[in-house]
Each structure stands twice: as structure tokens, then as C-alpha cells.
Amino acid sequence: MTTPSIIIEPAAPIAAIATPVGVGALAVLRMSGKGVFDIAQKVFRKKNSPAFRFAQSKGFRAHFGTVHDSDGLIDEVVALVFRSPNSFTMEDMVEFSCHGGPVVVKHILKVLLDEGCRLAEPGEFTRRAFLNGRIDLLQAEAIGEMIHARSESAFRTAVTQMQGPLSLRLDAMRELLLRSCALLELELDFSEEEVEFRSRTQLHQELADMQEELCRLIDSYQHGRLLNEGVSTVIAGRPNAGKSTLLNALLGEERSIVSHMPGTTRDYIEECFLYEKTMFRLTDTAGLREGGEAVEHEGIRRSYKKISEADLLLYLIDISANNYLDAVIQIQAFMEQYPAAHLIVIANKTDLTPENAERTHQLRAATGCDVCAIAAARGEGLEDLKHLMSMIAEGLNKQQEASVLVTSLRHYEALRNASDAVENAQELIKNQSGTELIAFELRSALEYIGEITGKVINEEILNVIFDRFCIGK
Ligand code: GDP
């Protein structure tokens, strides 16, 4: 987004296959860094132009020719030339589009490595784009989110993020904090003269506005997280109620082991499914019952943890069992304990009892919850259930309609820390505390905000972010 005024110092040449390995019409290999034009020159011959030189080619030019190794021709390719700083990494880059066979692609990659490139690390091209100032960290992460997007809405949010609206807001906050810090520090230099270069009343007001904006961003995480990670949905209930069967039916495949023995699902299983535009992250928990072996206890402990983090809780009951009303107490306890989660009670195995309508009605009256009657093993009632889940998810999404969304836990945590620091600074101003203390809080806020966009570089954070990318991106 931003073109830096500095001259790019290219790093060592790297190469990678940029397209998925497998048979396809085309595949792309890319190279970036110092000397890539010379390396490309050694392996490429332009059709009917023996005098062609990459080093003299203009940027954004395509050249048709062949790639060779010492044994002869490997493939016909189109070579694309990008000249620094006008490339994705801002370094000199060459991309070869070749035929999409895995053997061909690997052969060309090997030649490039033999001629002096190093195999790129995961996300190294994007990392260079960030380090050279073409994109900020938020935009780099948005590229990763876009690639991994599992729903249309997550994809749209990532595309918006790539254009940098959150970065713009954070940069404005940083600007204000930087300016204020500089003035406060100047005051400290003149401390004997008791001058005030930064009006405290005005600073307090500006920090209050900033705090409001930070809170809006923090609140948007609820919505952003749902878009990005899906609605966290936990299937709970006693052993044998049919939880694994329901999970499989919702996913449409045999994902979880179904068995007649109580306590088969020892740990939880997590899978995603898309219904209309909403993604649900489904967890099948170990059967909730007392007793059992130690390993089962551990599973139950984890189940409760999952339930405590859920947006949506599907509590399954075997409606054909005589003790079907026993679950009511546990459901009521859940509602008290996890008030934030939306609860749907599911009366399963309706095929096994002719009294299912009556019993479902009783459950509705006893719990006061939405009750959905299904026969998971036969796939009956699933459409109604999915519809209800989708309506609840829509309600969750509507709770937060924000133009700029925070979708990552990393950003959320940094924003909360920044917000705490800004709040502390306001408190200090109100109490007429010393300049040094106020400046300290402002510097902390500055640092937390800088961590988000990458203005403050933390090597560990960079590794976590770029390791998620594939090689070649
Ligand atoms: P979990 O312990 O809650 O995960 O239960 P499972 O999904 O393993 O199911 C326990 C047993 O109930 C299995 O034999 C399933 O085939 C059976 N079952 C599940 N749903 C239904 C249903 O709707 N109707 C009938 N008749 N059997 C079901």
C-alpha cells in the first residue's frame, strides 16, 4: 500500500512453487531477491531472441521461451518480469508459468536452486513484502486469512482488511500518541520551568475519544471472530444420546466413531460445516456422565471447558429413554452457568418412540428452551435444526455491525492492552499526576498499537504469523 522512500536492499534470492502441487493446466514458480535476473538468464531462452536479457527487460513484461538444464529442454514457459520496487516483495522478481505437472514443476525448481536460489520458507515472499514496507502486518495477516477463508463472509472481511482500513485508524491513533509523548517529554526536559506544552484538558478529551474508538474495535471482535473462525457450537449430552451420529449427519460424513458402548467419544472432535453463509465449528464432546475411567474424566473436563467457550450449545437427549426428563436439571444448570451461550435442546431418536411429540412438548415446557425433534440416524429433522442454528447465528452477527472488524485474537489482545494504557493515562491526568507517569502509559499504548500493524517488530510474532502461510506465498 505504501511506497517507501528508502531504497530496497534485496535479500538473498529465494524460489518456490507458488501453486498447489498436483496435476493442473498451469503451475507458477516465483523467485525474488538479489540476482534473480541473472539466475533466470542462465536457465531461460527467449523464443527467436537470443540476445534477450532479463536485466534489460522492463517490469511487468512477459517473455515466451523455454527453460533448460544441462541435459536440455525442460518445458516451454512464460517468464514474467517485475522490477524493484514494483513487485510484491519490492525486490526484483521473476515468475515462470509452466505446464502444471508435478514432475515438470519440481524439475524447474531444482534448476533454480542449483543456479543459486534458496528454497523459500513458508510465507517468506509476504514477509519480505512486509519488511520492505509494501504492506503492514495487518495486511500480511489479511492475505493469510483470505487464503484460509472458509466462508464467503470471512473472505470478504479479509479482502477489506487487505486494503488497510484498520491500519489507517491505528496509524491515526499512533500519530496522536506520538505527538503527545513528544510534547510531554519536552516538558520533562524543561521540568524546572513548569511549562505545559500539551494541554491536559485537551489531551484528556482526545484520549477519551481514542478510548471510545478502541472499545468499538474491541467489541467488533465478537463478530469478527464468528466470521473468521465460525460459530463455536458444542454438542453435549449424556453418552449414547446420539451426539456423534448428529455430528456425522451435520457434516455429511463419518467423522466421529459411533458406537453402542457408552463413553466412546473420549475426547472432543472438532469439524467445520457451512450452512448457507454461516460457518459452524462443531465440537462433539465426551459423553457427560459421572463415573467412568480416568481417561473419560479428562474427556469430561475438557468437554466442560469447551462448553464454557461455546457460542451455541446443542444439548442432545435420547427422547426414547424412560429417563428423558432427567436431563432437565443439567440443562437448567447449564443455562445458569453459561448464560452467554445460546442453547438448543434436541430431542433425538424420535423414531424409537410413538410418544415423541408429547415428550418434546414436555421438554419445551420444563426447560423453556427451543426444542428441536430429530432422528439423527435417519437424517430427519436436520433441516429444521440447521435453520434454527442459522437464525441464532444471524442474531449473534447482528449484535455487532461494524465497518472495521477485528478478526484476530492477537489484535484483540493488543487492543485491550492499549485500551488499558489509555484508560490509565486518563485517570492519571484526572488525578493531576506527574508527566512522567502519563508519558509512560502513552508509550505503552503506542507500543501495543504498533505491535498490531508491525511498526513495533517482534520477531516471535512474525514467526507465528508467517509460519501459517504456505511455501511460495
Ligand atoms: P453418543 O455417545 O452420544 O455420541 O451416541 P452415538 O452417536 O454413538 O449413538 C449411540 C447409539 O444411538 C448408536 O447406536 C446410534 O446408531 C444410535 N442412534 C443415534 N441416533 C439415533 C436415532 O435417531 N435413532 C435411532 N434409532 N438410533 C440412533
Side-chain angles (χ1 to χ4, degrees):
M1 185 181 74
T2 41
T3 311
S5 49
I6 47 154
I7 294 168
I8 301 303
E9 193 52 62
I14 49 171
I17 303 166
T19 40
V21 178
V23 177
L26 290 175
V28 174
L29 292 105
R30 67 198 324 202
M31 283 184 276
S32 178
K34 201 171 182 166
V36 291
F37 291 156
D38 294 339
I39 294 171
Q41 194 67 54
K42 288 189 205 162
V43 303
F44 177 83
R45 286 180 207 158
K46 182 165 171 162
K47 216 73 168 200
N48 306 322
S49 299
F52 167 74
R53 291 288 167 269
F54 276 101
Q56 278 144 27
S57 167
K58 288 193 170 153
F60 304 122
R61 286 293 151 92
H63 303 278
F64 178 57
T66 48
V67 167
H68 297 256
D69 65 4
S70 50
D71 294 332
L73 174 75
I74 302 176
D75 193 13
E76 285 190 326
V77 302
V78 172
L80 267 178
V81 178
F82 302 89
R83 295 194 80 94
S84 172
N86 299 312
S87 76
F88 178 60
T89 57
M90 298 191 79
E91 300 170 338
D92 286 337
M93 288 184 78
V94 177
E95 283 183 10
F96 285 141
S97 297
C98 62
H99 290 106
V103 179
V104 180
V105 181
K106 282 188 189 152
H107 214 115
I108 298 179
L109 179 64
K110 183 174 178 304
V111 181
L112 298 178
L113 299 182
D114 288 348
E115 293 301 343
C117 281
R118 162 172 71 68
L119 183 65
E121 305 275 340
E124 193 167 358
F125 291 90
T126 316
R127 189 178 185 128
R128 288 187 179 191
F130 161 67
L131 290 174
N132 291 329
R134 202 180 92 81
I135 51 174
D136 68 20
L137 204 50
L138 271 169
Q139 291 168 309
E141 286 173 287
I143 293 174
E145 282 174 10
M146 188 184 89
I147 295 170
H148 292 111
R150 286 177 289 190
S151 70
E152 179 70 23
S153 354
F155 169 73
R156 291 264 151 248
T157 314
V159 170
T160 311
Q161 195 87 294
M162 246 162 49
Q163 286 152 4
L166 182 55
S167 314
L168 279 180
R169 299 218 184 166
L170 296 177
D171 284 348
M173 289 187 200
R174 261 182 64 81
E175 190 62 33
L176 179 90
L177 289 167
L178 266 175
R179 202 161 28 88
S180 306
C181 272
L183 290 174
L184 293 183
E185 271 153 25
L186 205 60
E187 282 179 21
L188 289 171
D189 289 343
F190 288 88
S191 57
E192 279 145 39
E193 297 167 34
E194 290 207 0
V195 279
E196 200 176 274
F197 290 121
R198 185 76 167 99
S199 145
R200 296 298 186 266
T201 327
Q202 199 187 348
L203 178 59
H204 190 273
Q205 184 52 49
E206 285 175 2
L207 290 177
D209 294 344
M210 185 184 296
Q211 172 86 355
E212 208 175 287
E213 171 132 41
L214 282 169
C215 287
R216 259 201 309 273
L217 290 173
I218 290 167
D219 289 346
S220 78
Y221 177 61
Q222 157 79 349
H223 180 44
R225 181 182 64 81
L226 290 178
L227 278 185
N228 221 22
E229 296 174 8
V231 179
S232 161
T233 308
V234 174
I235 307 179
R238 296 191 161 213
N240 253 2
K243 297 182 294 300
S244 311
T245 312
L246 175 63
L247 181 94
N248 292 338
L250 287 173
L251 296 176
E253 61 184 84
E254 289 288 309
R255 177 63 188 80
S256 174
I257 316 148
V258 180
S259 117
H260 293 277
M261 291 285 293
T264 343
T265 317
R266 291 281 163 76
D267 207 334
Y268 60 81
I269 289 170
E270 202 166 83
E271 284 288 336
C272 291
F273 87 98
L274 198 62
Y275 181 71
E276 291 173 348
K277 276 192 190 157
T278 311
M279 200 185 38
F280 293 90
R281 201 156 31 85
L282 272 182
T283 310
D284 175 15
T285 56
L288 297 171
R289 62 168 191 166
E290 304 306 321
E293 310 161 31
V295 61
E296 206 173 302
H297 279 160
E298 178 55 19
I300 290 168
R301 193 191 62 76
R302 290 188 200 184
S303 297
Y304 278 110
K305 179 152 190 307
K306 272 277 150 194
I307 291 169
S308 70
E309 297 161 354
D311 300 308
L312 182 59
L313 192 59
L314 308 181
Y315 193 99
L316 212 59
I317 295 174
D318 178 350
I319 195 80
S320 71
N322 290 332
N323 61 352
Y324 68 97
L325 279 177
D326 287 2
V328 171
I329 294 172
Q330 191 169 39
I331 291 170
Q332 282 166 342
F334 273 3
M335 288 198 288
E336 249 172 57
Q337 226 172 331
Y338 313 114
H342 290 255
L343 184 76
I344 303 179
V345 174
I346 302 175
N348 189 30
K349 307 197 189 180
T350 49
D351 56 311
L352 292 185
T353 165
E355 294 168 30
N356 65 68
E358 203 180 310
R359 292 183 174 192
T360 304
H361 182 71
Q362 266 180 328
L363 269 177
R364 199 170 282 130
T367 59
C369 292
D370 287 318
V371 180
C372 220
I374 65 164
R378 298 172 167 212
E380 285 169 16
L382 289 185
E383 270 312 303
D384 285 349
L385 173 63
K386 285 196 250 184
H387 185 67
L388 183 59
M389 288 167 67
S390 152
M391 284 197 356
I392 291 177
E394 223 171 87
L396 287 171
N397 281 341
K398 280 214 179 96
Q399 281 172 14
Q400 256 307 321
E401 287 289 356
S403 53
V404 180
L405 283 181
V406 173
T407 52
S408 123
L409 180 62
R410 185 181 85 77
H411 305 161
Y412 171 76
E413 284 178 346
L415 285 169
R416 284 191 53 160
N417 289 333
S419 165
D420 286 349
V422 170
E423 196 177 341
N424 292 345
Q426 288 176 82
E427 198 59 30
L428 290 167
I429 295 171
K430 213 167 80 191
N431 298 335
Q432 299 182 332
S433 306
T435 308
E436 210 156 326
L437 295 173
I438 304 170
F440 173 81
E441 293 297 342
L442 297 192
R443 266 196 307 272
S444 297
L446 202 53
E447 199 142 308
Y448 288 122
I449 292 176
E451 262 182 24
I452 303 178
T453 53
K455 291 268 180 354
V456 176
I457 294 182
N458 177 326
E459 200 60 33
E460 229 172 277
I461 292 179
L462 292 193
N463 290 341
V464 170
I465 292 171
F466 290 106
D467 282 355
R468 279 189 68 232
F469 281 74
C470 35
I471 293 178
K473 187 64 217 162

